[in-house]
Amino acid sequence: MELKFIKIIKEVGIAHLILSRPEVMNSLNFEMINEIYTVVCTLNEDKDIRVLIISGIEGNFAAGADILPMIEMKQEKARKSTFNKAYNAIENLEIPVIAAISGYALGGGLELALACDIRICSADATMGLPEIKLGIFPGAGGTQRLPKIIGAGRAKEMIFLGKPINANKALEFGLCNILSEGDPVEEAFVLADKLIKLSRTALAGAKRTVNFGLGRELHAGIKYEEEIWSSCFSTKDQFEGMSAFIEKRKPFFTGE
């Protein structure tokens, strides 16, 4: 598939997906979303990739979605035109996904970041869900993922008022995991380098279990955790990790 609106760069163990519509501050259109979905699906099959980093080009993450195609849109087409398929694929990707956020992450752009596991922000990052000012509200997971990350009260304030927050406030809220003093992409690669040295299978199990437990009754989550945790003991990585600990050496994980 020829990629028109995104770029994908693969290094050892790391894939870097770059949103690339700089003329509109990387605003998202349906073609761009389809490209993201296609690339993410291929990454799930690529066992050599252990971390995905998502960032924007030229100083912005993504300043929302294109509004012009939506003005005359009717209900049935709107239902079929959400970004949820792509964002759900990111959330369900087996590997850790890091959003490296500079400049604007608004509307669908912030919702993309919410589907990631970890968000690293530059000092100039501005994050918000301004859809209410357009007569709609967030429709790509924002009303569901944001409350789970920052709490219902703060999420409702951001959604109801459509008012963006800066990087410091995002860090205070827990929306931003790491506030970078420089380029958040560089910070993301530092973190990714740590993650690729860990067990791919264990990380996948941990991510799956955390995601499963969100919004579920505690004991259902614990039961699921038991099943996924115990499955680690059928892997070579478990034996290698524990053997390395006993032998006082660094483990070498293969993802098996």
Side-chain angles (χ1 to χ4, degrees):
M1 177 183 182
E2 182 181 355
L3 300 177
K4 183 178 179 182
F5 299 115
I6 67 172
K7 300 177 181 179
I8 186 73
I9 301 170
K10 294 183 180 180
E11 301 184 9
V12 178
I14 303 170
H16 184 193
L17 190 158
I18 304 169
L19 310 173
S20 184
R21 295 185 72 208
E23 69 280 2
V24 288
M25 295 186 288
N26 303 322
S27 291
L28 302 152
N29 59 23
F30 298 120
E31 293 82 5
M32 190 180 197
I33 291 297
N34 286 334
E35 289 182 7
I36 292 170
Y37 176 72
T38 299
V39 166
V40 168
C41 288
T42 63
L43 290 178
N44 231 0
E45 304 302 318
D46 189 342
K47 300 306 178 184
D48 292 329
I49 298 299
R50 300 190 173 202
V51 179
L52 170 62
I53 296 170
I54 301 178
S55 69
I57 203 168
E58 293 189 12
N60 288 292
F61 188 73
D66 278 352
I67 302 303
L68 187 59
M70 299 183 188
I71 294 176
E72 301 292 337
M73 188 179 290
K74 302 304 179 185
Q75 182 176 352
E76 189 58 32
K77 186 174 182 180
R79 184 182 292 114
K80 296 176 180 178
S81 301
T82 72
F83 297 169
N84 287 326
K85 184 170 73 170
Y87 292 2
N88 290 343
I90 291 169
E91 185 173 59
N92 294 326
L93 196 60
E94 288 188 347
I95 59 177
V97 184
I98 304 169
I101 302 168
S102 296
Y104 289 117
L106 301 175
L110 177 55
E111 289 173 300
L112 171 56
L114 293 175
C116 300
D117 300 302
I118 296 171
R119 285 159 293 280
I120 300 175
C121 299
S122 65
D124 71 342
T126 299
M127 308 168 77
L129 296 170
E131 288 92 336
I132 203 75
K133 297 177 180 179
L134 302 173
I136 58 173
F137 60 85
T143 65
Q144 302 304 300
R145 292 189 177 102
L146 187 62
K148 290 179 172 65
I149 295 170
I150 69 173
R154 285 171 168 168
K156 286 177 180 178
E157 181 180 0
M158 288 183 66
I159 293 167
F160 292 175
L161 295 176
K163 185 178 179 180
I165 60 175
N166 61 27
N168 286 319
K169 185 64 71 174
L171 183 66
E172 177 188 333
F173 283 2
L175 180 54
C176 168
N177 296 84
I178 301 170
L179 184 56
S180 175
E181 294 181 1
D183 185 350
V185 173
E186 293 180 4
E187 192 92 37
F189 270 97
V190 170
L191 178 58
D193 283 336
K194 296 177 182 178
L195 290 169
I196 63 174
K197 295 179 175 67
L198 303 174
S199 167
R200 191 184 196 276
T201 54
L203 284 170
K207 176 173 178 175
R208 194 180 310 126
T209 305
V210 171
N211 286 350
F212 178 88
L214 292 172
R216 283 187 168 87
E217 188 269 334
L218 175 63
H219 293 287
I222 290 175
K223 182 63 176 176
Y224 186 78
E225 181 188 71
E226 287 179 358
E227 294 301 317
I228 303 302
W229 176 80
S230 62
S231 72
C232 291
F233 289 81
S234 66
T235 67
K236 293 180 180 179
D237 279 355
Q238 170 267 328
F239 185 79
E240 167 63 12
M242 293 187 176
S243 297
F245 177 81
I246 296 298
E247 296 165 10
K248 295 180 169 48
R249 61 176 175 82
K250 291 183 178 181
F252 178 75
F253 294 116
T254 61
E256 299 177 270

